[in-house]
Amino acid sequence: MSPLLHDVDVETKKATFALACFWEPDAIYGAQKGVIRTRVGYCGGEKENPTYKDLGDHTETIDIDYDPNEVTYSELLDLFWKSHDPTAKTTVQYMSIIFYHDQEQKKLAEEKLREEVKKHSDPILTKVLPATTFYDAEDYHQKYRLQQHPSLMKAVNLEPGPKVKSSHLAARLNGYVVGKGGVAQFDAEVKKLGLDEGTAKIVRELLVKNEGRQLVC
Ligand code: MHO
């Protein structure tokens, strides 16, 4: 059997998005093909070293490392638009923002934003901004959905801490346990992820039970 796939050593690019409470996007992107790692945190503001309790002018944000050979930035943007309501009036904490890392990302983001504007009658509140310092959120926010299953965490050699942020397997399971990614994709990668049959069965059951559900924070 393959070892548990915590570390994936491929060249990645970054995508950084804010789309309301970061727990759900962490799960959605974690299960997206081509996404290698995710971490949630605070971005966009001036306050140094923000915390969840003292966020200042920052917004809850997800930072993604993706393999550009497996998924395009454009596809990640499509998922962004499809996964939240960009017309919702929110506090700064839950704003809709695309943080671009280079001019190509900026161009694509602005193009998609123009397309989106045509599809909605209400104003789109999404901002397209240059990526600024990203501050990791506290450990208990990372892969929050997966962390609600301590025995599953244990079964795959994870405990709350930095490994939860860097682990590919953690990103994947965090999506699958709340019904993201689909059974076909999960079954196709069970072996590669290094899951034993018992663990795979538990994850598959959660996936099937939760498919189509959208959790509120
Ligand atoms: N209702 C949640 C929001 C969490 S979120 C990461 C809470 O009470 O903390 O903003």
Side-chain angles (χ1 to χ4, degrees):
M1 208 171 69
S2 326
L4 293 166
L5 193 58
H6 290 296
D7 300 309
V8 173
D9 189 17
V10 292
E11 219 176 295
T12 55
K13 289 193 75 179
K14 270 199 180 297
T16 308
F17 303 125
L19 51 157
C21 173
F22 51 29
W23 291 341
E24 187 74 356
D26 199 10
I28 293 169
Y29 280 103
Q32 163 63 44
K33 179 175 175 278
V35 169
I36 306 297
R37 283 172 293 273
T38 65
R39 58 181 63 205
V40 295
Y42 313 115
C43 194
E46 297 278 316
K47 187 187 168 68
E48 282 182 27
N49 305 315
T51 60
Y52 184 64
K53 291 233 162 73
D54 195 7
L55 199 78
D57 50 353
H58 289 280
T59 299
E60 291 194 17
T61 301
I62 175 166
D63 194 48
I64 300 158
D65 292 337
Y66 68 97
D67 177 351
N69 294 317
E70 294 284 329
V71 65
T72 62
Y73 187 65
S74 184
E75 288 169 313
L76 296 177
L77 283 173
D78 290 342
L79 196 52
F80 170 86
W81 291 111
K82 168 165 124 184
S83 304
H84 76 302
D85 175 5
T87 68
K89 291 200 179 73
T90 66
T91 54
V92 174
Q93 180 173 3
Y94 297 122
M95 256 163 36
S96 167
I97 311 172
I98 298 167
F99 290 103
Y100 60 83
H101 290 270
D102 55 38
Q103 291 308 305
E104 198 189 327
Q105 288 193 347
K106 179 179 191 236
K107 189 167 164 271
L108 277 169
E110 286 171 345
E111 270 167 30
K112 296 260 184 201
L113 172 61
R114 282 194 290 274
E115 282 168 28
E116 241 11 75
V117 167
K118 288 184 211 149
K119 292 189 208 156
H120 293 260
S121 49
D122 291 331
I124 300 249
L125 303 176
T126 306
K127 294 193 169 141
V128 177
L129 300 174
T132 47
T133 309
F134 178 91
Y135 296 94
D136 288 5
E138 295 78 355
D139 284 344
Y140 81 93
H141 283 301
Q142 307 294 337
K143 315 294 181 306
Y144 185 82
R145 308 295 190 203
L146 173 61
Q147 293 209 55
Q148 309 315 302
H149 299 274
S151 53
L152 180 56
M153 292 268 292
K154 214 166 159 217
V156 296
N157 285 336
L158 282 171
E159 54 184 49
K163 188 172 167 188
V164 174
K165 290 186 264 189
S166 63
S167 166
H168 175 66
L169 180 58
R172 282 301 206 232
L173 293 180
N174 187 53
Y176 288 135
V177 297
V178 286
K180 315 295 181 200
V183 178
Q185 179 186 290
F186 176 69
D187 283 341
E189 67 174 14
V190 164
K191 280 213 176 74
K192 187 179 97 179
L193 294 175
L195 298 176
D196 61 56
E197 258 176 55
T199 308
K201 186 166 175 280
I202 292 166
V203 176
R204 192 180 298 104
E205 278 169 9
L206 287 165
L207 171 48
V208 170
K209 186 176 98 184
N210 293 320
E211 215 158 19
R213 278 195 201 174
Q214 216 196 333
L215 293 170
V216 272
C217 273

